[in-house]
Amino acid sequence: MSGVAARVAKERAAECEGLGTCQNPVKYLGQDFEELRTQCLASGTLFKDEDFPACSSIIGYRELGPNSAKTKGVVWKRPSDICPSPQFIVSGATRSDICQGEVGDCWLMAAIASLTLYEDVLAQVVPQNQSFQDQYAGIFHFKFWQYGEWVDVVVDDRLPTVNGSLMFVHSAEGNEFWSALLEKAYAKLNGSYEALSGGFTVEGFEDFTGGISEFYDLKSPPANLFQIIQKALKKESLLGCSINISNKYEIEKITQRKLVKGHAYSVTGAEEVLYHGCKEKLIRLRNPWGDVEWTGPWCDGAPEWNDVDPKVKEELEKQLNDGEFWMPFSDFLKEYSRIEVCHLSVDSLTSTKEHKWEATIFHGSWTRGSTAGGCHFFPATYWTNPQFRIKLNEADDDHDCSTHDPCCTVIIGLMQKNRRKRKRIGEDLHKAGFTLYRLDNQTEGLLNRKFFTTNEPVAQSDCVDSREVSIRLKLPVGDYVIVPSTYEPFKSGDFCLRVFSEKETKPLDDDAVKADSYEPRISDQDGFVDCRDIFEKLNAQRKEMNAYELQIALNKLLENRKGLKSDGFSLVTCREMINLMDMDETGTLSLEEFKALWMKLQKYTEIYLKVDANHSGTMEAHEMRQALQEAGFTLNEKIQQRIVQRFASSDVTINFDGFISCVIRLETLFKMFQLLDVKKSGEITLTLPEWLHSTLL
């Protein structure tokens, strides 16, 4: 419980203080760069990071494990032990500062190389005023976006070397270390250097900007790809493209027209020019090498430029930097294999906010037994997946939907959290995706199984084992629900769901929590003769029943009920029952209170037997949601998850005692809140003694 309270407190503090923004990042592992550097300078010592120590375990666990061939002879050295005059950055950060080492993180190298093309982004990821001369204390820091918040990661400058040379990323300069330290900080964030093996460039783009990514296969591009690229450039998105390779020998092989295979290019422009009376689509690319450029049509000095309006030609040519070139968009589609676009939100790092995307982010979890329902091929559990509602109420300024209704452009991305860290224990990415449904006059609260079996989805993503899966959609104005899921049910994991839109997207309140529990009418109905007899035998003198007597009475009444798997009610559960029914604070039950309790238990027993579909005597944990709905409770997903954690057994089932205990506990908490919420505002304020007195059962 204290963990939940701590998380709620952290979320509230973050909201109040703006914690997690790029201006006020979270201090990763609680390490404060300025404080640590000041302490080291005052003591005259160089920083040693005990949270990411210079030892074999942070290098890797399999191919780079402690006993692997690749890690033999590793010596940890500070830059001053590697060269006589180390520098943080030499003459600006450039692509030549990034040379790959022993780990297979070329995707990260390509992202860092592209990062050098955007000075304002680079300056945020790699904070300035760090050096090996001024205030040097063996400590450096870097900022990354991680699942909705910015974090500041501190590292020491002890780097792994083999035979005196850096084992991982290094600069061609030999005495420049910003890229090696950046890689170390990113490795710390993900658990080890080896955890960085394998990935896509856009993963680095996202962690450097907080943007959302799209992939386009240029062998089957959308008809409006040129317009998508133009819009992305206008919104200051980061765009990269590459030519696939068929084997390792083709890496950085140069084609006849001077294009480099297996190499990350940046897309920097897209324009249409009038050429021989027709509009010619041109795209501008940049090779980070700076000296190998396209030699086909529309290259630098090509004859095609002679037939273009001189003013247009001058304007387009003056924008070219070293390594940049124009080429026909039609040739671009033929020569290149894929394009990756990282869209930035108004909260991203670049200096201007004009034309940025509006971003909405949701956080959730798939929890075995409560919210890990699997995809729609598993209808019995699919409806228990997390649900996130959005409202699109303002169309794009230039909407071009296929219908006549005003439409909104949205990019929806589902990102799995912290999966690289779990590689060490043999866990990889889940196959995951999401489905989108239109909502028409739906009630509040979580949608039930009937909704998903009677409504067709508007759209759905692929179900893939990548960190993020995203799709671009044109949607009519309206309300929608997004359902993220793993392919198979009962797969646990955390995720964030992001919605980028041209106009503001409003999250709808799916946090509805309410209760309409069963309240019996007391009468001398059949069945109460036994109750009275038992009650009077146990309480001949006092006319009141305590928890011990209640335990005996209920277990006696239920011992012959078929279909219930029960070891009998515990004393704790019986005390909770008394707490619910005892309105005069005697700590005991009168006959009338006992009657009311018995009627409640009969009602809840009927629900339990109804929901136990396979008649096993226990409920599957995911069936608990339906049972609680039948009992009159509308709960959000966080509460559903806590219930399973609290009441499910190790085989993720809930027996009769657990179900009754849960229902009684919920009834008690709801009634307590309603009594204390005298203003009916949905909020209560209690002193610490009042809080303890009310909740200490």
Side-chain angles (χ1 to χ4, degrees):
M1 181 179 292
S2 58
V4 176
R7 178 172 52 78
V8 172
K10 179 183 175 182
E11 290 172 355
R12 289 187 175 182
E15 186 176 349
C16 294
E17 301 169 11
L19 189 63
T21 62
C22 55
Q23 296 80 18
N24 186 20
V26 173
K27 294 174 178 58
Y28 187 63
L29 301 181
Q31 293 176 305
D32 186 300
F33 170 74
E34 294 294 346
E35 286 184 7
L36 291 170
R37 182 169 67 171
T38 299
Q39 291 172 8
C40 289
L41 290 172
S43 63
T45 59
L46 295 179
F47 177 62
K48 291 184 178 180
D49 187 1
E50 299 303 327
D51 288 313
F52 202 58
C55 63
S56 58
S57 63
I58 73 163
I59 294 178
Y61 43 86
R62 200 173 298 125
E63 290 186 11
L64 296 176
N67 298 316
S68 65
K70 291 183 178 180
T71 58
K72 286 184 178 179
V74 170
V75 178
W76 293 85
K77 293 184 177 182
R78 296 189 188 267
S80 58
D81 300 322
I82 299 172
C83 65
S85 181
Q87 302 293 318
F88 188 60
I89 296 179
V90 177
S91 302
T94 64
R95 194 261 179 216
S96 65
D97 299 343
I98 303 107
C99 302
Q100 190 176 348
E102 289 294 327
V103 69
D105 59 354
C106 59
W107 61 274
L108 179 61
M109 301 303 99
I112 298 174
S114 295
L115 188 66
T116 63
L117 303 179
Y118 303 92
E119 292 182 6
D120 48 356
V121 178
L122 179 68
Q124 293 286 351
V125 176
V126 185
Q128 304 301 296
N129 301 320
Q130 301 189 84
S131 78
F132 290 94
Q133 289 76 40
D134 184 35
Q135 290 193 303
Y136 170 69
I139 183 172
F140 293 85
H141 68 129
F142 301 86
K143 289 192 288 188
F144 305 100
W145 180 89
Q146 287 287 281
Y147 316 116
E149 66 181 14
W150 284 88
V151 295
D152 189 83
V153 181
V154 167
V155 289
D156 64 32
D157 62 352
R158 294 178 292 175
L159 298 168
T161 67
V162 176
N163 298 324
S165 299
L166 289 177
M167 185 177 181
F168 299 116
V169 71
H170 52 279
S171 169
E173 296 287 340
N175 66 333
E176 187 174 30
F177 291 93
W178 73 270
S179 57
L181 292 168
L182 171 63
E183 183 190 39
K184 182 176 182 179
Y186 200 61
K188 178 178 179 178
L189 195 62
N190 287 280
S192 68
Y193 280 95
E194 189 170 1
L196 305 182
S197 182
F200 294 100
T201 302
V202 289
E203 187 175 338
F205 276 171
E206 289 176 334
D207 288 349
F208 295 153
T209 66
I212 193 171
S213 295
E214 291 183 279
F215 300 80
Y216 292 102
D217 182 351
L218 298 182
K219 302 308 175 189
S220 55
N224 63 335
L225 179 59
F226 190 77
Q227 288 72 33
I228 290 173
I229 292 172
Q230 284 186 314
K231 266 194 172 183
L233 290 167
K234 187 177 181 181
K235 292 177 180 292
E236 300 180 344
S237 302
L238 279 63
L239 289 84
C241 59
S242 59
I243 303 171
N244 288 347
I245 58 173
S246 56
N247 57 66
K248 64 181 181 179
Y249 301 108
E250 288 191 329
I251 294 176
E252 298 192 343
K253 181 180 179 181
I254 300 174
T255 68
Q256 287 185 339
R257 290 182 166 183
K258 301 297 182 182
L259 298 178
V260 186
K261 290 188 173 184
H263 180 60
Y265 285 78
S266 297
V267 179
T268 59
E271 300 288 347
E272 286 185 301
V273 299
L274 196 62
Y275 179 67
H276 291 172
C278 298
K279 286 187 175 181
E280 177 80 24
K281 291 183 175 69
L282 300 178
I283 187 166
R284 187 175 68 216
L285 307 182
R286 183 176 183 182
N287 180 356
W289 285 357
D291 58 355
V292 179
E293 297 185 8
W294 164 255
T295 58
W298 297 93
C299 68
D300 294 358
E304 289 84 3
W305 291 106
N306 297 329
D307 295 312
V308 174
D309 184 307
K311 290 184 178 178
V312 174
K313 177 185 176 184
E314 181 183 3
E315 184 65 27
L316 295 182
E317 286 186 338
K318 77 178 183 181
Q319 298 177 34
L320 293 178
N321 294 307
D322 187 30
E324 276 188 305
F325 55 87
W326 291 98
M327 68 184 298
F329 187 65
S330 56
D331 281 340
F332 171 74
L333 296 177
K334 293 175 186 176
E335 299 283 352
Y336 285 83
S337 306
R338 59 187 278 135
I339 185 170
E340 303 169 348
V341 185
C342 183
H343 302 281
L344 308 183
S345 73
V346 293
D347 297 321
S348 295
L349 299 174
T350 52
S351 55
T352 62
K353 292 187 176 181
E354 187 179 2
H355 306 308
K356 293 291 196 306
W357 293 81
E358 296 289 339
T360 303
I361 186 166
F362 303 94
H363 297 276
S365 299
W366 296 298
T367 302
R368 186 168 180 254
S370 60
T371 57
C375 71
H376 62 279
F377 292 128
F378 303 90
T381 54
Y382 175 72
W383 68 282
T384 65
N385 280 304
Q387 303 171 19
F388 301 97
R389 298 189 184 199
I390 58 171
K391 176 184 282 292
L392 303 175
N393 54 12
E394 189 176 356
D396 300 346
D397 293 331
D398 57 347
H399 70 85
D400 53 357
C401 200
S402 57
T403 70
H404 295 295
D405 296 329
C407 280
C408 313
T409 300
V410 296
I411 301 171
I412 304 173
L414 171 66
M415 180 181 289
Q416 299 182 54
K417 292 184 179 181
N418 301 313
R419 299 309 293 185
R420 286 190 179 275
K421 286 183 178 179
R422 304 188 73 82
K423 283 185 176 183
R424 182 183 291 271
I425 58 174
E427 293 186 15
D428 214 328
L429 291 157
H430 295 309
K431 281 190 175 181
F434 57 88
T435 308
L436 184 78
Y437 297 85
R438 181 76 184 259
L439 291 174
D440 294 308
N441 303 317
Q442 294 298 324
T443 57
E444 64 180 2
L446 297 173
L447 300 168
N448 59 23
R449 179 176 178 177
K450 182 180 179 181
F451 173 87
F452 295 107
T453 55
T454 57
N455 286 272
E456 290 295 321
V458 173
Q460 61 187 56
S461 73
D462 294 331
C463 204
V464 294
D465 54 350
S466 60
R467 185 175 81 152
E468 184 171 50
V469 57
S470 65
I471 55 174
R472 172 187 288 257
L473 299 169
K474 286 278 191 180
L475 298 172
V477 169
D479 296 351
Y480 298 86
V481 62
I482 307 169
V483 182
S485 71
T486 56
Y487 181 80
E488 295 178 320
F490 315 129
K491 299 290 185 181
S492 296
D494 299 322
F495 63 84
C496 64
L497 181 75
R498 297 188 290 166
V499 180
F500 274 44
S501 52
E502 293 200 1
K503 300 293 184 178
E504 185 177 7
T505 297
K506 182 180 179 183
L508 294 176
D509 182 16
D510 63 349
D511 213 35
V513 174
K514 61 183 181 180
D516 184 20
S517 54
Y518 170 63
E519 295 298 337
R521 294 181 180 178
I522 307 302
S523 63
D524 286 326
Q525 297 178 12
D526 292 341
F528 283 114
V529 175
D530 290 342
C531 290
R532 183 180 291 107
D533 289 345
I534 292 174
F535 186 89
E536 290 177 351
K537 285 179 182 177
L538 291 169
N539 304 277
Q541 303 297 323
R542 293 181 291 106
K543 306 298 183 183
E544 293 281 334
M545 180 180 287
N546 62 30
Y548 298 96
E549 294 161 341
L550 178 62
Q551 183 183 30
I552 295 170
L554 292 181
N555 291 339
K556 179 73 175 176
L557 288 167
L558 291 171
E559 65 183 2
N560 296 320
R561 288 299 301 261
K562 295 182 178 179
L564 298 178
K565 192 172 183 179
S566 172
D567 295 326
F569 290 120
S570 70
L571 190 60
V572 172
T573 300
C574 291
R575 283 173 175 156
E576 289 186 348
M577 292 178 186
I578 290 178
N579 189 66
L580 171 65
M581 307 304 298
D582 174 29
M583 297 305 294
D584 54 8
E585 295 190 83
T586 62
T588 57
L589 294 183
S590 66
L591 177 59
E592 293 299 303
E593 291 169 337
F594 179 62
K595 283 182 181 180
L597 173 63
W598 177 241
M599 292 181 71
K600 279 183 178 290
L601 293 179
Q602 285 187 307
K603 177 69 174 179
Y604 294 147
T605 301
E606 291 173 9
I607 293 172
Y608 185 85
L609 293 171
K610 175 183 176 182
V611 173
D612 178 18
N614 61 0
H615 307 295
S616 64
T618 63
M619 282 194 302
E620 300 294 327
H622 66 266
E623 294 174 330
M624 188 67 160
R625 182 178 297 189
Q626 181 184 344
L628 292 175
Q629 288 178 348
E630 297 266 356
F633 296 101
T634 299
L635 306 172
N636 64 28
E637 284 159 355
K638 290 181 180 178
I639 297 173
Q640 297 282 0
Q641 290 170 350
R642 294 298 297 172
I643 285 171
V644 170
Q645 290 173 346
R646 170 64 180 83
F647 294 100
S649 60
S650 59
D651 62 353
V652 202
T653 60
I654 297 173
N655 63 18
F656 181 68
D657 316 329
F659 171 65
I660 295 299
S661 179
C662 175
V663 174
I664 295 297
R665 181 75 168 158
L666 282 172
E667 269 204 64
T668 302
L669 292 173
F670 270 103
K671 288 182 177 179
M672 284 168 52
F673 189 92
Q674 290 162 359
L675 290 169
L676 293 168
D677 184 17
V678 292
K679 296 181 180 179
K680 307 305 176 188
S681 63
E683 296 182 0
I684 59 175
T685 302
L686 298 176
T687 65
L688 179 58
E690 288 172 336
W691 163 257
L692 293 173
H693 183 70
S694 300
T695 59
L696 194 60
L697 304 182

